[in-house]
Amino acid sequence: MSTEPAVPSFPTSLGTSTADEIRLLGQDLTADLMGKVGFGELAFWLVALRRPTPSETRVFEAVLVALADHGFTPTAIAARLTYLSAPDSLQGALAAGLLGGGSRFLGVTEDCGMFLHEALEGHELPTDEAGWDEFALEVVRGVQGKYIPGLGHPVHKVQDPRTPVLIGIAREEGLEGPHLELFQAIGRVHDQVLGRKLPLNGAGVCGAALADLGLPVELLRGFALLARAAGLLGQIAEERRRPIGMDAYLTVDRNAVYVDPES
């Protein structure tokens, strides 16, 4: 009888490792997945615990590409400044960029998916465009002047170029579901309630598309962060090639207006 203490075991449904093998999603990582499964497909598979169809993979990866933009935004500036100045700067820059993107810009993906999901819950789905428009008017009126996620963009004032492309891809693949239908209907009718026309933005359409794929709406911000990480790495690499971090810092610092906290 062995007197050795029992080794704790914490099995998960995702996989495990031994000295000779790495098992992931029931597959041998080195024999069945590496070089045969794309990263977008794997990310979907890890969350949904089912392998996506080729159509689902195409829509999902289109979302990741749409959300990987890394322009001159506060998130990019934060990443560049942190890379420039902080100890362990690469880790700090990634953390700053992910936290900044997650708290503001990429929150729209989760907010929009959640907003649409809650509106659709328990509601009988319309069967034609007129029915969707009527439903969308009801939804927008119910907001009572509050923020509607997915509407408006600081740069693309008329139309976000990502929105029609992603809707078109979902339609081609037969994955234009109720979240995208309601999102488009809100785009058609919101001005009747709000009194002005706003574009449907790319972060919002990505949230609608992800929700139509059946992915948990609570995790939509995570998918946005996954996509944004690629952009952040690009931004940090660009800072190494063509530094602007110090110029950005000095511009902000020299234009700051310091206010007496007691005033």
Side-chain angles (χ1 to χ4, degrees), residues 166-198:
L166 190 49
I167 291 170
I169 291 172
R171 187 173 295 150
E172 287 173 16
E173 300 297 340
L175 294 170
E176 185 183 16
H179 298 85
L180 279 170
E181 290 279 13
L182 178 56
F183 187 60
Q184 292 173 83
I186 288 173
R188 291 192 296 267
V189 306
H190 68 270
D191 57 332
Q192 299 177 41
V193 179
L194 304 183
R196 59 180 178 139
K197 190 75 173 175
L198 296 169

Side-chain angles (χ1 to χ4, degrees), residues 157-168:
K157 303 292 188 182
V158 177
Q159 176 175 274
D160 188 320
R162 295 170 292 184
T163 302
V165 174
L166 190 49
I167 291 170

Side-chain angles (χ1 to χ4, degrees), residues 128-227:
D128 55 23
E129 185 173 296
W132 280 109
D133 287 356
E134 183 180 350
F135 178 30
L137 274 173
E138 176 187 328
V139 170
V140 176
R141 288 182 180 129
V143 172
Q144 297 180 338
K146 295 180 183 177
Y147 166 66
I148 299 177
L151 282 181
H153 196 285
V155 176
H156 308 297
K157 303 292 188 182
V158 177
Q159 176 175 274
D160 188 320
R162 295 170 292 184
T163 302
V165 174
L166 190 49
I167 291 170
I169 291 172
R171 187 173 295 150
E172 287 173 16
E173 300 297 340
L175 294 170
E176 185 183 16
H179 298 85
L180 279 170
E181 290 279 13
L182 178 56
F183 187 60
Q184 292 173 83
I186 288 173
R188 291 192 296 267
V189 306
H190 68 270
D191 57 332
Q192 299 177 41
V193 179
L194 304 183
R196 59 180 178 139
K197 190 75 173 175
L198 296 169
L200 297 173
N201 63 49
V205 74
C206 286
L210 290 171
D212 273 344
L213 289 175
L215 295 166
V217 290
E218 299 85 358
L219 297 182
L220 299 191
R221 185 183 303 240
F223 293 119
L225 290 173
L226 180 67

